[in-house]
Amino acid sequence: MKDLDAAGLDCLAALADERSFERAAETLAITQSAVSQRLRSLEAQVGQLLVVRSRPLRLTEPGKRLLRYARQLAALRSDVVRELGVQAAQAERLPIAVNADSLATWVLPALDPLVQRGMREGFGLELVVDDQDFTHDWLRQGEVLGCVTTVPQALRGCIAQPLGVMRYIAVASPDFVARMLPDGLGAANFAQVPFLVFNRKDDAQQQWVRQAMGLRSARLNARYVPSSEGYVNAVRMGWGVGVAPELQVRPLLASGELVALRPEVQVEVALYWHQWKLGGRPPPAPRASPTPQEPGKPDRPQRRKAVRLRRCWTRSEKRWPGVPGTP
């Protein structure tokens, strides 16, 4: 196979982003017929169908594999442009997949230096939200350049770095506890108590119940609230028991708006930063750790871990800036 046409790869990436030929043409500043022609030429070059012409269009499995290469090529090209001091033809987009709870707690402060640098240098950030067990699929399919995930093993050509642990606890409003749980929450009544669940991918509540009740499986009376902020607000309003990040509900526990149920039971979710390995040196992980710590009381292992993570997250100006870190 000859070298793949760069214009065709850019066209494939635009189609993956926009999910239509019309919007892809607008993004590339060309006509729809030119988009179709470039795609047909690329498909002829690889000898496989890359895009299913549906509404919205979707990539085939060969198209997803080729999309990974297109993203990497675009990132390397942008990196060279920046090092040469040349003005990019269009603003670069850096897609990153994160889970909603991280987005609601520690991710935005960690990404702020990157966003501020992008404003100066002409690149932007796009956050894709999915369950932490599924963000890895976005990276595997080439839809994003990096992700926060629970998967510890790196894909081929990628690096994986530990971020820390998000600790989840069960909480409820005082009124809900007085009304629905006067005798506490236990194995005899948990199945009748409404539990708030983020979405059907979320299993933190089942993990908590299995751990708290010593069960191998648990069927819950689930109520779905697919928003991290809305989820906590629903718990405050007395809609049910929530299993939420301790980092997120800590102020509400301190103010008495929420109470912890069985506080000795905690679900710990280890998070990892995954990134394509571009260039000679691996890029750094996000600066902020999701591991909650008591102010003024970090233990010695946590301090050593924080020092190691800060060293990992330190970056030079010549590194590819498409990941969170210090500009």
Side-chain angles (χ1 to χ4, degrees):
M1 185 190 305
K2 297 181 180 179
D3 291 338
L4 296 173
D5 178 51
L9 292 172
D10 290 342
C11 179
L12 180 67
L15 288 169
D17 292 337
E18 304 299 340
R19 302 297 176 179
S20 82
F21 282 85
E22 180 180 1
R23 291 195 295 270
E26 293 175 356
T27 298
L28 297 172
I30 59 177
T31 64
Q32 290 188 53
S33 61
V35 172
S36 299
Q37 183 178 355
R38 292 181 186 183
L39 178 62
R40 285 196 299 269
S41 176
L42 186 62
E43 290 177 329
Q45 196 173 8
V46 300
Q48 298 186 72
L49 185 67
L50 301 177
V51 172
V52 177
R53 277 75 167 175
S54 58
R55 288 184 179 271
L57 63 80
R58 56 185 176 85
L59 270 60
T60 64
E61 288 304 316
K64 292 175 183 177
R65 289 192 289 269
L66 196 57
L67 178 62
R68 292 200 300 267
Y69 174 70
R71 299 285 196 207
Q72 292 172 328
L73 185 63
L76 288 170
R77 186 170 58 219
S78 298
D79 192 19
V80 171
V81 167
R82 274 189 295 271
E83 289 187 0
L84 293 175
V86 179
Q87 182 67 34
Q90 61 181 13
E92 182 186 2
R93 182 184 62 88
L94 305 176
I96 297 173
V98 301
N99 59 307
D101 289 337
S102 292
L103 183 60
T105 51
W106 63 273
V107 159
L108 291 183
L111 291 175
D112 184 62
L114 174 65
V115 173
Q116 299 302 326
R117 180 176 179 178
M119 292 181 181
R120 298 191 302 269
E121 299 185 9
F123 63 87
L125 189 66
E126 177 182 351
L127 297 179
V128 177
V129 179
D130 203 344
D131 186 89
Q132 60 266 17
D133 295 334
F134 295 85
T135 50
H136 193 248
D137 292 335
W138 290 80
L139 183 68
R140 179 178 56 82
Q141 295 173 8
E143 298 282 356
V144 298
L145 299 176
C147 68
V148 175
T149 178
T150 56
V151 178
Q153 299 85 11
L155 291 170
R156 183 177 181 182
C158 297
I159 58 102
Q161 300 180 42
L163 289 173
V165 174
M166 287 198 74
R167 185 176 301 122
Y168 288 74
I169 60 175
V171 292
S173 70
D175 289 343
F176 180 87
V177 172
R179 184 177 73 255
M180 300 290 295
L181 301 171
D183 299 322
L185 182 64
N189 66 346
F190 80 86
Q192 288 75 44
V193 175
F195 273 78
L196 299 184
V197 181
F198 184 84
N199 59 24
R200 296 185 185 275
K201 295 179 179 179
D202 185 14
D203 65 348
Q205 296 73 24
Q206 289 193 357
Q207 289 186 51
W208 187 90
V209 169
R210 290 197 299 266
Q211 187 174 332
M213 311 304 169
L215 303 174
R216 296 186 61 181
S217 62
R219 187 177 182 85
L220 301 181
N221 182 12
R223 304 286 188 269
Y224 296 95
V225 183
S227 161
S228 288
E229 294 82 358
Y231 184 96
V232 173
N233 284 333
V235 176
R236 292 173 59 195
M237 295 170 65
W239 287 19
V241 175
V243 178
E246 191 272 342
L247 190 64
Q248 187 177 13
V249 300
R250 186 186 297 167
L252 300 175
L253 293 172
S255 67
E257 295 181 74
L258 293 179
V259 295
L261 306 176
R262 309 277 292 271
E264 74 280 2
V265 180
Q266 302 172 352
V267 175
E268 295 189 342
V269 178
L271 296 178
Y272 301 85
W273 169 254
H274 286 237
Q275 169 63 52
W276 284 332
K277 187 185 299 182
L278 300 174
R281 291 174 294 180
R287 287 189 302 166
S289 169
T291 305
Q293 298 179 26
E294 290 297 327
K297 298 182 180 179
D299 57 24
R300 194 167 294 176
Q302 287 288 355
R303 289 199 301 269
R304 290 197 297 266
K305 180 178 180 180
V307 170
R308 289 197 301 270
L309 288 174
R310 281 196 294 269
R311 289 173 179 170
C312 289
W313 298 332
T314 302
R315 61 187 300 159
S316 70
E317 285 292 333
K318 293 184 178 180
R319 287 190 180 182
W320 176 69
V323 296
T326 303

